[in-house]
Amino acid sequence: MTKDELRAELERQAQRYKDVYGGEVITYAAQPDPERKPWRKKSNFLDQAFEKELEKIEKELKDKAEKPLD
């Protein structure tokens, strides 16, 4: 299927949708992906400090749980 055939088929389907359902067809370009993907960003100093604090708190809780009650 060539581009022209595909374009004609899409036009035909859009016209049929308008005729049958009385709907409105809006065509638009897809939104581009964001430049920076937040899940791929490198951790900065604050992120590293936060991770260290979490590890410290977890270690304290673990030690407290393992400590026998007097």
Side-chain angles (χ1 to χ4, degrees):
M1 180 176 269
T2 65
K3 279 196 229 180
D4 292 332
E5 291 172 341
L6 180 61
R7 188 173 288 123
E9 177 65 22
L10 290 174
E11 288 289 328
R12 187 187 65 73
Q13 289 179 7
Q15 188 61 41
R16 181 175 178 272
Y17 178 78
K18 287 178 188 176
D19 294 341
V20 173
Y21 299 107
E24 188 174 314
V25 177
I26 300 171
T27 56
Y28 56 91
Q31 296 295 321
D33 287 339
E35 291 295 318
R36 292 180 52 113
K37 300 192 179 340
W39 57 89
R40 291 187 180 174
K41 78 173 191 171
K42 294 181 181 177
S43 61
N44 60 19
F45 178 74
L46 291 176
D47 292 334
Q48 293 170 358
F50 181 73
E51 288 294 325
K52 285 181 185 177
E53 282 296 315
L54 282 179
E55 289 173 7
K56 188 170 89 173
I57 292 170
E58 287 173 353
K59 184 178 179 213
E60 288 174 1
L61 289 173
K62 184 180 176 186
D63 290 344
K64 189 182 284 188
E66 290 177 355
K67 184 178 177 183
L69 297 174
D70 291 334

